[in-house]
Amino acid sequence: MKADDIMSRSMDKIVALCKRRGFIFQNSEIYGGQNGFWDYGPLGTELKRNVRDSWYHDMVSAHNELIAPQGAPSSYQMVGVETALIMNPQVWKCSGHYDLFHDMMVDCKATKSRYRLDQMRVRSVSFEGQTVKQDETDVELATVMVTSTAEDFHDDLTSEALRAFGQKKKYADKLQWHGEATTLDQIDVAEFVNVVAPGAQKAGTLTAPREFNLMMKTIIGALGTDDDAAFLRPETAQGIFVNFKNVVDSSRVKLPFGICQVGKSFRNEITPRNFTFRSREFEQMEIEFFCRPDESTGWYTYWRDRRYQWYLGLGVSQDRLILRDHHAEELAHYSVGTADIEYAFPFLDEGEFGELEGIAHRGDFDLRSHMEGKLTKNAAGELEVELNEHGKPKHRGSGKDLTYFDDQAKERFLPHVIEPSAGADRATLAFICEAYHEDKQPDEKGEMQERVVMKFHPRLAPVKAAVFPLIKKEGMPEKAAEIFGALKAAGLSCQFDQQGAIGRRYRRQDEIGTPYCITVDGDTMTDGTVTIRDRDSLKQERISIDKVVEEVTSRLNAS
RNA sequence: GCGGAUGUAGCUCAGUGGUAGAGCACCACGUUGCCAACGUGGCUGUCGAGGGUUCGACUCCCUUCAUCCGCUCCA
């Protein structure tokens, strides 16, 4: 790609086009908007539905369970479910979302930083009678608690202590430590006045801990109180896991098989930003693929590569799409392996990528959690049920047997799960960014004019074809209307336009990414042919009127 | 959540303490007839929202909402 083309691919222009042409609007715009929420306009709705439909078609409807696709360890089945947005709150307790999504945070009034309570190390210290001032009161404190969020917190606590007392590095051994380092969530809030936050000059600059609800809360029942609180799902996956037994019992599926779901999820993102990329309401397209544990690695590799190819097949350039394997330390505690499919969005810096989809090997974590209760990793690195202070499960599982009986091998086990989890809005945004092009085309006088063209893959294009009468008389509009009707009858999304000069009409279609334009002209009236014009090459061919639907359909299918 | 910038017509943007502007787009008529034509005419705004100062506020002040950038966060 040429350098100037990259420069022109700016997010501002893309956002402006999305609004101008009705792809994406700011939610509740007439009231000033709502941060983190977006609406799709007429063309955006078509586009996103095409994304969703392509995914479901390629993953589920068109999947042939009798043959193994290239690269797959064997043949497999794929089925869909559609589960509710709201589930029994115990689902989120066992899945781990409840604990994880209820972070207690403190803010530092001095440094304007925010910290997670359980990640902040703290240790009591004094230095030969020297004092640190307390914020607001200016009381002199001889003993304070210093803090660190660093990985190597022992050294960091030392340098924080020296900084707090205004001492040089060489006096590190004169620090008098009291007790061992602990985390801030173990400290009584009343003691916070003695805590020196990282980088702060005085003690007591931390606010009281506040809960950050990353899951959206709602109330069930007209007289609902907080006891009736429920959560909007933060992911669609759990709807699949809790229905695993239902699907196995009702649909005659045999391992290996996948259960798929497309639907909305909700998260209270701290900082929604970058257009629709990080929204608080978003749509996921998820597969939970269940297989034998000993075959799971092969399936993980298969799905990772298959999903990467899916984006390439829909026109995303390999230059801007990467498949990135997570490092071991990045992996979630339950994951054996995870890879991200990431796209070089225009709002990111050169060399940076944003996640479109994650493919995770989740082992038996999810099914086991819903059987036994919330799991955590023990000292030996093995998963076990997390216990509360009474030695009972912190969050009790369903107690239902979610194992699978393999009647070929005559054995019962918990299947392992491969989870390709894609964002429908992120994919749609990536396809929009990828489609945006500016080029120069000659006008009727031969002068080069700038053209904005959305080069959507024909499967994704919101409008497949447009039909124009060259002029608004001599029977051309009527002829064009017939062709338009035939295309509509064939189920194709198309537009009819007789407004303005022909060149302008072509440009209008270019800007919304319509792959084909059909024009009725003077010759049509004598020989029954029309021109079909290609969006990308601008080439026109004459075809017979009765072949129009066939030609458009075959071009769409060939792409 | 913090700091900075921004918010005026569908879009891109001028503008001044004293009745709101341009270009493009859109609509109508005429002309032209295959890549953003031309002429004539027309439509469009609570100047992001709320409050204050003022005889008078789009303009000055305060609050708030949203967007963008940087920090933070990103399970």
Side-chain angles (χ1 to χ4, degrees):
Chain A
M1 181 178 295
K2 299 193 300 288
D4 60 342
D5 198 6
I6 292 169
M7 291 304 289
S8 67
R9 192 188 286 266
S10 78
M11 208 58 209
D12 287 351
K13 289 182 178 182
I14 291 170
V15 173
L17 183 141
C18 282
K19 179 172 188 194
R20 187 168 68 245
R21 292 303 190 182
F23 283 94
I24 298 172
F25 305 127
Q26 195 182 354
N27 169 270
S28 319
E29 192 189 1
I30 61 168
Y31 287 106
Q34 181 69 41
N35 197 354
F37 297 87
W38 298 91
D39 294 341
Y40 287 84
L43 291 178
T45 301
E46 293 290 327
L47 173 66
K48 189 177 160 189
R49 193 188 25 249
N50 290 340
V51 171
R52 215 190 275 127
D53 287 353
S54 295
W55 182 89
Y56 201 85
H57 173 272
D58 295 349
M59 296 302 115
V60 187
S61 316
H63 171 68
N64 182 343
E65 65 201 45
L66 301 180
I67 54 172
Q70 195 178 7
S74 69
S75 63
Y76 59 90
Q77 287 171 277
M78 294 293 273
V79 296
V81 293
E82 186 172 317
T83 70
L85 293 174
I86 291 174
M87 306 178 72
N88 186 306
Q90 194 66 18
V91 169
W92 308 112
K93 291 182 175 168
C94 290
S95 70
H97 289 86
Y98 182 84
D99 292 344
L100 214 52
F101 277 45
H102 282 70
D103 295 336
M104 296 301 281
M105 312 278 280
V106 289
D107 290 314
C108 173
K109 285 177 278 193
T111 63
K112 308 295 183 196
S113 301
R114 171 174 297 163
Y115 306 99
R116 255 175 72 173
L117 213 55
D118 58 345
Q119 286 181 348
M120 179 86 100
R121 302 285 175 167
V122 53
R123 193 176 182 190
S124 195
V125 66
S126 48
F127 188 93
E128 299 189 330
Q130 297 286 314
T131 58
V132 177
K133 275 190 179 178
Q134 198 174 67
D135 192 42
E136 292 176 3
T137 64
D138 280 346
V139 169
E140 307 275 344
L141 300 168
T143 300
V144 292
M145 286 184 269
V146 292
T147 52
S148 168
T149 53
E151 193 104 338
D152 189 5
F153 62 87
H154 282 295
D155 287 355
D156 196 45
L157 283 172
T158 302
S159 51
E160 278 292 312
L162 291 168
R163 191 187 54 76
F165 287 106
Q167 301 298 326
K168 290 186 175 145
K169 223 174 189 171
K170 57 183 174 182
Y171 299 126
D173 50 359
K174 294 194 177 176
L175 287 166
Q176 296 153 281
W177 295 100
H178 312 288
E180 286 305 305
T182 180
T183 50
L184 198 58
D185 53 345
Q186 303 299 313
I187 305 293
D188 194 284
V189 180
E191 297 286 313
F192 277 23
V193 289
N194 301 320
V195 173
V196 182
Q201 299 302 315
K202 294 179 177 178
T205 58
L206 291 178
T207 62
R210 288 181 294 182
E211 187 184 42
F212 275 70
N213 285 299
L214 267 28
M215 279 200 290
M216 282 196 202
K217 209 182 241 179
T218 188
I219 300 287
I220 297 180
L223 297 174
T225 65
D226 229 33
D227 294 339
D228 304 309
F231 301 98
L232 302 187
R233 63 183 178 194
E235 63 171 35
T236 58
Q238 299 304 324
I240 297 177
F241 292 126
V242 301
N243 277 296
F244 173 74
K245 195 169 154 52
N246 283 337
V247 172
V248 170
D249 291 348
S250 63
S251 62
R252 302 179 61 218
V253 287
K254 298 259 183 265
L255 282 191
F257 66 90
I259 307 179
C260 308
Q261 161 149 250
V262 178
K264 289 287 185 77
S265 294
F266 301 81
R267 297 180 190 184
N268 277 321
E269 296 288 353
I270 310 243
T271 314
R273 204 166 279 196
N274 291 332
F275 203 26
T276 60
F277 182 77
R278 176 163 295 142
S279 301
R280 288 177 165 147
E281 173 178 345
F282 57 100
E283 191 154 358
Q284 294 183 293
M285 307 186 291
E286 293 198 299
I287 301 170
E288 303 300 333
F289 190 81
F290 300 92
C291 62
R292 295 182 56 92
D294 54 358
E295 293 175 352
S296 62
T297 305
W299 283 113
Y300 168 68
T301 310
Y302 165 71
W303 279 112
R304 193 192 58 184
D305 298 343
R306 171 89 193 268
R307 291 300 308 150
Y308 182 69
Q309 291 299 323
W310 187 77
Y311 294 94
L312 296 181
L314 287 171
V316 178
S317 161
Q318 201 153 4
D319 300 341
R320 283 182 290 278
L321 193 72
I322 59 164
L323 185 57
R324 191 175 67 81
D325 286 299
H326 283 209
H327 304 297
E329 61 268 27
E330 253 186 299
L331 294 179
H333 57 288
Y334 49 76
S335 187
V336 178
T338 299
D340 281 346
I341 296 170
E342 301 180 334
Y343 179 72
F345 284 100
F347 51 75
L348 298 171
D349 289 335
E350 182 78 33
E352 288 187 13
F353 294 81
E355 181 182 346
L356 293 181
E357 172 162 353
I359 297 97
H361 184 310
R362 296 175 64 97
D364 62 3
F365 177 83
D366 302 280
L367 289 177
R368 208 179 134 197
S369 299
H370 288 303
M371 274 176 69
E372 302 174 3
K374 191 205 165 192
L375 300 172
T376 189
K377 217 168 207 172
N378 64 18
E382 292 155 343
L383 288 171
E384 62 179 22
V385 175
E386 186 173 345
L387 302 177
N388 62 17
E389 61 269 30
H390 309 297
K392 295 278 170 50
K394 186 176 181 196
H395 298 301
R396 190 178 296 279
S398 69
K400 298 285 187 294
D401 182 7
L402 301 180
T403 56
Y404 175 86
F405 183 70
D406 185 332
D407 41 21
Q408 297 285 308
K410 302 280 185 256
E411 53 180 338
R412 184 171 284 282
F413 57 89
L414 265 183
H416 276 199
V417 172
I418 311 300
E419 178 189 76
S421 170
D425 304 275
R426 288 183 174 187
T428 301
L429 182 59
F431 289 127
I432 288 172
C433 294
E434 187 68 20
Y436 188 89
H437 285 79
E438 290 174 359
D439 61 16
K440 300 260 199 245
Q441 297 297 341
D443 64 15
E444 59 176 2
K445 300 189 195 76
E447 286 179 35
M448 298 307 276
Q449 297 286 342
E450 197 161 88
R451 176 178 83 135
V452 173
V453 52
M454 295 297 282
K455 294 189 178 179
F456 288 121
H457 188 284
R459 277 183 79 185
L460 300 179
V463 177
K464 306 301 186 194
V467 187
F468 310 141
L470 185 59
I471 55 173
K472 226 188 291 184
K473 54 191 176 189
E474 293 166 23
M476 292 184 202
E478 292 75 11
K479 209 62 172 172
E482 280 175 34
I483 297 168
F484 175 73
L487 286 163
K488 278 289 194 183
L492 294 167
S493 159
C494 31
Q495 291 191 348
F496 178 86
D497 191 358
Q498 57 179 359
Q499 205 60 252
I502 189 72
R504 181 189 299 277
R505 284 179 266 166
Y506 284 140
R507 296 302 168 84
R508 275 201 278 256
Q509 295 301 325
D510 288 341
E511 209 180 39
I512 64 171
T514 306
Y516 307 111
C517 292
I518 289 127
T519 303
V520 169
D521 59 16
D523 294 346
T524 308
M525 311 316 287
T526 54
D527 67 4
T529 63
V530 294
T531 62
I532 178 164
R533 175 251 197 197
D534 182 88
R535 175 192 69 200
D536 300 336
S537 69
L538 304 182
K539 290 224 169 66
Q540 286 180 280
E541 280 178 50
R542 289 209 79 87
I543 58 171
S544 158
I545 283 187
D546 46 11
K547 290 273 192 317
V548 167
V549 174
E550 189 187 322
E551 179 70 19
V552 171
T553 311
S554 76
R555 287 192 188 201
L556 287 171
N557 290 339
S559 55

Coordinates of all heavy atoms in Angstrom, one line a residue, chain A residues 406-432:
Chain A
D406 N -18.6 -41.5 26.7 CA -18.1 -41.8 25.4 C -18.5 -43.3 25.2 O -17.8 -44.2 25.8 CB -16.6 -41.6 25.3 CG -16.1 -41.9 23.8 OD1 -16.8 -42.7 23.1 OD2 -15.1 -41.3 23.4
D407 N -19.5 -43.6 24.4 CA -20.0 -45.0 24.3 C -19.1 -45.8 23.4 O -19.3 -47.0 23.3 CB -21.5 -45.1 24.0 CG -21.9 -44.1 23.0 OD1 -21.1 -43.6 22.3 OD2 -23.1 -43.8 23.0
Q408 N -18.2 -45.2 22.6 CA -17.2 -46.0 21.9 C -16.2 -46.5 22.8 O -15.9 -47.7 22.9 CB -16.6 -45.1 20.8 CG -17.5 -44.6 19.8 CD -18.0 -45.6 18.8 OE1 -17.2 -46.3 18.2 NE2 -19.3 -45.8 18.6
A409 N -15.5 -45.5 23.5 CA -14.4 -45.9 24.4 C -14.9 -46.4 25.8 O -14.2 -46.9 26.6 CB -13.5 -44.7 24.7
K410 N -16.3 -46.3 26.0 CA -16.9 -46.8 27.2 C -16.2 -46.1 28.4 O -15.8 -46.7 29.4 CB -16.7 -48.3 27.4 CG -17.4 -49.1 26.3 CD -18.9 -49.2 26.5 CE -19.6 -50.1 25.4 NZ -20.3 -49.3 24.4
E411 N -16.1 -44.8 28.3 CA -15.5 -44.1 29.5 C -16.2 -42.7 29.7 O -16.8 -42.2 28.8 CB -14.0 -43.9 29.4 CG -13.6 -43.2 28.1 CD -12.1 -43.1 28.0 OE1 -11.4 -43.1 29.1 OE2 -11.5 -43.0 26.9
R412 N -16.2 -42.3 30.9 CA -16.9 -41.1 31.3 C -15.8 -40.0 31.7 O -14.9 -40.3 32.5 CB -17.8 -41.4 32.5 CG -18.7 -40.2 33.0 CD -19.7 -40.7 34.0 NE -20.8 -41.4 33.3 CZ -21.8 -40.8 32.7 NH1 -21.8 -39.4 32.6 NH2 -22.8 -41.5 32.1
F413 N -16.0 -38.8 31.2 CA -15.0 -37.8 31.5 C -15.6 -36.4 31.3 O -16.6 -36.3 30.7 CB -13.7 -38.0 30.7 CG -14.0 -38.0 29.2 CD1 -14.0 -36.8 28.5 CD2 -14.3 -39.2 28.5 CE1 -14.2 -36.8 27.1 CE2 -14.5 -39.2 27.2 CZ -14.5 -38.0 26.4
L414 N -14.8 -35.4 31.8 CA -15.2 -34.0 31.5 C -14.5 -33.6 30.2 O -13.3 -33.7 30.1 CB -14.8 -33.1 32.6 CG -15.8 -32.8 33.7 CD1 -15.1 -31.8 34.7 CD2 -17.1 -32.2 33.2
P415 N -15.3 -33.2 29.2 CA -14.6 -32.8 27.9 C -13.8 -31.5 28.2 O -14.0 -30.8 29.1 CB -15.8 -32.4 27.0 CG -17.0 -33.1 27.6 CD -16.7 -33.1 29.1
H416 N -12.8 -31.3 27.3 CA -12.1 -30.1 27.3 C -12.7 -29.1 26.3 O -13.4 -29.6 25.4 CB -10.6 -30.4 27.0 CG -9.8 -30.7 28.2 ND1 -8.4 -30.7 28.3 CD2 -10.2 -31.2 29.4 CE1 -8.0 -31.0 29.5 NE2 -9.1 -31.4 30.2
V417 N -12.4 -27.9 26.5 CA -13.1 -26.9 25.7 C -12.1 -26.0 25.0 O -11.1 -25.5 25.6 CB -14.0 -26.0 26.6 CG1 -14.5 -24.8 25.9 CG2 -15.1 -26.8 27.2
I418 N -12.3 -25.8 23.7 CA -11.6 -24.7 22.9 C -12.6 -23.6 22.7 O -13.7 -23.9 22.2 CB -11.1 -25.3 21.6 CG1 -10.4 -26.6 21.8 CG2 -10.3 -24.2 20.9 CD1 -9.2 -26.5 22.7
E419 N -12.3 -22.4 23.0 CA -13.2 -21.3 22.9 C -12.8 -20.2 21.9 O -12.0 -19.3 22.3 CB -13.5 -20.7 24.3 CG -14.4 -19.5 24.3 CD -14.4 -18.8 25.6 OE1 -13.5 -18.0 25.9 OE2 -15.4 -19.0 26.3
P420 N -13.2 -20.2 20.7 CA -13.0 -19.1 19.8 C -14.1 -18.0 20.0 O -15.3 -18.3 19.8 CB -13.1 -19.7 18.4 CG -13.2 -21.2 18.6 CD -13.8 -21.4 19.9
S421 N -13.7 -16.9 20.6 CA -14.7 -15.9 21.1 C -14.4 -14.6 20.3 O -13.4 -13.9 20.5 CB -14.5 -15.7 22.6 OG -15.3 -14.6 23.0
A422 N -15.3 -14.3 19.4 CA -15.1 -13.1 18.5 C -16.1 -12.0 18.9 O -17.2 -12.2 19.4 CB -15.3 -13.5 17.1
G423 N -15.6 -10.8 18.6 CA -16.5 -9.6 18.8 C -17.1 -9.2 17.5 O -16.4 -8.9 16.6
A424 N -18.5 -9.2 17.5 CA -19.1 -8.9 16.2 C -19.0 -7.4 15.9 O -18.8 -7.0 14.7 CB -20.6 -9.2 16.3
D425 N -19.0 -6.5 16.9 CA -18.8 -5.1 16.6 C -17.4 -4.8 16.2 O -17.2 -3.9 15.4 CB -19.3 -4.3 17.8 CG -20.7 -4.6 18.3 OD1 -21.6 -4.0 17.7 OD2 -20.8 -5.5 19.1
R426 N -16.5 -5.4 16.9 CA -15.1 -5.2 16.5 C -14.8 -5.7 15.1 O -14.0 -5.1 14.4 CB -14.2 -5.9 17.6 CG -14.2 -5.2 18.9 CD -13.2 -5.8 19.9 NE -13.2 -5.0 21.1 CZ -12.3 -5.3 22.1 NH1 -11.4 -6.3 22.0 NH2 -12.3 -4.5 23.2
A427 N -15.3 -6.9 14.8 CA -15.1 -7.4 13.4 C -15.7 -6.4 12.4 O -15.1 -6.1 11.4 CB -15.7 -8.8 13.3
T428 N -16.9 -6.0 12.7 CA -17.6 -5.0 11.8 C -16.7 -3.8 11.6 O -16.5 -3.3 10.5 CB -19.0 -4.6 12.4 OG1 -19.8 -5.9 12.5 CG2 -19.7 -3.7 11.4
L429 N -16.2 -3.3 12.8 CA -15.4 -2.1 12.7 C -14.1 -2.3 11.9 O -13.7 -1.5 11.1 CB -15.0 -1.6 14.1 CG -14.2 -0.3 14.2 CD1 -14.9 0.8 13.5 CD2 -13.9 0.0 15.7
A430 N -13.5 -3.5 12.1 CA -12.3 -3.9 11.3 C -12.6 -3.9 9.8 O -11.9 -3.4 9.0 CB -11.8 -5.2 11.8
F431 N -13.8 -4.5 9.5 CA -14.2 -4.6 8.1 C -14.4 -3.2 7.5 O -14.1 -2.9 6.3 CB -15.4 -5.5 7.9 CG -15.1 -6.9 8.1 CD1 -15.9 -7.6 9.0 CD2 -14.1 -7.6 7.4 CE1 -15.7 -9.0 9.2 CE2 -13.9 -8.9 7.6 CZ -14.7 -9.7 8.5
I432 N -15.0 -2.3 8.3 CA -15.2 -0.9 7.8 C -13.8 -0.2 7.6 O -13.6 0.4 6.6 CB -16.0 -0.1 8.9 CG1 -17.5 -0.6 8.8 CG2 -15.9 1.4 8.6 CD1 -18.3 0.0 9.9

